[in-house]
Amino acid sequence: METKNTKEIMTYEQFLARIKAIVKKRMGGGYLVDINHVIKNNSIQLDGLIILKNGERITPNIYLNSYFESYQEGESIEDIAAKIINIYEDTMEEGEREALCIQFELNEMKSSIIFRLVNYDKNIKLLNEIPHIRFLDLAITFHCLVKDNENGIGTIRITNEHIKNWNTTLENITELATINTPVLLPASVRSMNEVIIDILNKEMEHNSENIDVENEIKEVFDQMKQDTMTDMYVLSNAKGINGASCLLYPDVVKELSDQLNTDFYILPSSIHEIILVKNKDKIDKNVLREMVIDVNYTQVAEDEILSNNIYFYSRKRDALTLL
């Protein structure tokens, strides 16, 4: 009895090795092609392909995880390799490249060192490899800002190896980041009303010819006038990227607290922003915590979750407490 041959599907490790080999062969001499294993925020592990031309030190980091899914669904590995090479070439032309951190010196980077806030427990493995400072249930990590334009920002993570090679200390890096971060990524505080109105205005523009949608949006506007969210403020940076770090900026929360004559409950919306809620007697902190947890697990990407906890800022003590 004759049977059809079944094509054997490569394992993920075999896929990575094969992609690397095909791309290396097609690029020819003069290029380093390698797999870069990356631990992203909240211990999300990704594998990127690096194509580095001799004499250069910046290149796109093309993550391969989703391409393996395409391969499993039937796309040929040759077509996937061709797509990756096209992405590399297009990205190099557009200048949207990531820096390879190991090749930079401290003197080059000292004016671009910034800090970020991440969850401590979700990043234990990563934190063993990088300089950091424990802050409540969070950790302050350090990065170099190597790209900042209309398309966004690009950073490289500072590791323990950098600290050693640069012959510097965590204290020195912290001092530089404390100075640089508020200047390079200035804070932005907006009322929740402003944020929602901006979203609604964009929806109005997008659906300008849809009368039904436009009427629904107008109804929301009218409701906001009746039931406003003036007790809530969104804190981020001007880029809206890793803006939760603004919680550490000197006097940002304090100045708003003094201006409004109130303490704040602080809700970690994501690594990109936090929400400040005026303290009122009717507020149930357990309800706030449940709201944060629900949003984290239904609306926020896994690698963008900051915390399931909430915090309290006391104006009198000028202090932040984990609740």
Side-chain angles (χ1 to χ4, degrees):
M1 181 177 177
E2 186 176 340
T3 59
K4 293 182 180 179
N5 291 327
T6 301
K7 181 180 178 182
E8 184 177 348
I9 302 296
M10 287 183 284
T11 65
Y12 181 62
E13 290 71 22
Q14 290 171 330
F15 171 81
L16 294 181
R18 184 64 180 146
I19 283 289
K20 175 182 173 181
I22 294 174
V23 172
K24 189 170 185 177
K25 182 178 180 180
R26 293 188 184 181
M27 295 304 297
Y31 287 87
L32 168 70
V33 179
D34 204 358
I35 302 294
N36 184 29
H37 304 287
V38 179
I39 301 177
K40 303 289 280 186
N41 187 45
N42 293 342
S43 299
I44 305 299
Q45 298 188 44
L46 297 176
D47 299 295
L49 187 75
I50 289 177
I51 306 171
L52 185 64
K53 188 175 182 179
N54 289 349
E56 294 198 352
R57 60 178 182 176
I58 49 177
T59 184
N61 202 1
I62 305 171
Y63 295 112
L64 301 176
N65 304 68
S66 62
Y67 287 109
F68 182 63
E69 295 176 9
S70 299
Y71 166 72
Q72 289 178 309
E73 292 170 0
E75 187 170 3
S76 75
I77 197 164
E78 289 77 14
D79 287 346
I80 292 174
K83 284 183 178 180
I84 290 170
I85 292 172
N86 286 337
I87 289 173
Y88 165 76
E89 292 173 344
D90 291 345
T91 304
M92 292 299 285
E93 287 179 6
E94 296 168 2
E96 295 301 305
R97 300 165 286 183
E98 295 182 21
L100 297 180
C101 46
I102 200 64
Q103 302 190 30
F104 287 98
E105 300 297 332
L106 179 59
N107 285 338
E108 292 181 82
M109 293 287 99
K110 64 192 312 181
S111 63
S112 66
I113 292 174
I114 60 173
F115 57 68
R116 286 180 177 172
L117 272 179
V118 300
N119 186 277
Y120 184 86
D121 289 337
K122 289 179 178 290
N123 289 280
I124 292 294
K125 183 177 180 181
L126 173 63
L127 294 174
N128 287 331
E129 302 174 1
I130 64 174
H132 64 278
I133 299 171
R134 185 77 183 263
F135 178 72
L136 302 176
D137 65 327
L138 309 174
I140 304 169
T141 62
F142 301 91
H143 307 254
C144 295
L145 183 65
V146 295
K147 183 190 79 174
D148 183 3
N149 57 37
E150 65 278 2
N151 296 315
I153 66 174
T155 63
I156 54 176
R157 183 187 291 133
I158 294 177
T159 65
N160 292 335
E161 188 175 357
H162 286 110
I163 297 294
K164 180 180 178 181
N165 291 341
W166 290 347
N167 192 29
T168 189
T169 62
L170 173 59
E171 290 73 21
N172 186 37
I173 295 297
T174 302
E175 182 179 350
L176 291 170
T178 302
I179 295 170
N180 295 334
T181 313
V183 174
L184 297 173
L185 299 167
S188 167
V189 181
R190 305 171 70 199
S191 72
M192 186 64 78
N193 269 3
E194 290 179 77
V195 174
I196 293 176
I197 287 172
D198 277 354
I199 294 172
L200 293 175
N201 280 331
K202 289 176 183 177
E203 285 293 320
M204 290 270 285
E205 293 174 7
H206 183 69
N207 296 281
S208 58
E209 297 180 0
N210 190 326
I211 301 300
D212 290 338
V213 173
E214 187 172 348
N215 287 336
E216 288 179 11
I217 293 174
K218 286 179 179 179
E219 287 180 12
V220 175
F221 271 119
D222 292 337
Q223 184 177 353
M224 287 177 64
K225 293 175 183 178
Q226 304 286 331
D227 182 21
T228 61
M229 294 187 180
T230 53
D231 293 338
M232 302 176 71
Y233 295 82
V234 178
L235 173 61
S236 185
N237 57 39
K239 292 287 184 179
I241 303 173
N242 290 104
S245 306
C246 295
L247 187 62
L248 302 174
Y249 289 9
D251 298 333
V252 170
V253 176
K254 181 180 186 304
E255 288 177 2
L256 184 63
S257 177
D258 288 342
Q259 176 185 335
L260 300 175
N261 191 29
T262 183
D263 298 330
F264 286 118
Y265 285 99
I266 296 179
L267 314 185
S269 177
S270 73
I271 59 173
H272 301 303
E273 63 185 21
I274 61 173
I275 297 174
L276 309 176
V277 182
K278 285 184 180 180
N279 179 29
K280 290 189 173 181
D281 293 337
K282 63 181 180 180
I283 291 180
D284 184 338
K285 65 181 181 182
N286 292 320
V287 171
L288 293 179
R289 183 181 291 106
E290 289 173 5
M291 181 175 69
V292 169
I293 293 172
D294 180 65
V295 170
N296 279 342
Y297 285 97
T298 61
Q299 306 296 325
V300 183
E302 187 177 356
D303 63 342
E304 295 184 352
I305 293 174
L306 182 60
S307 176
N308 285 331
N309 294 313
I310 62 174
Y311 314 91
F312 186 79
Y313 175 79
S314 167
R315 179 176 175 236
K316 183 177 181 179
R317 295 188 297 113
D318 186 24
L320 195 65
T321 305
L322 174 65
L323 296 180

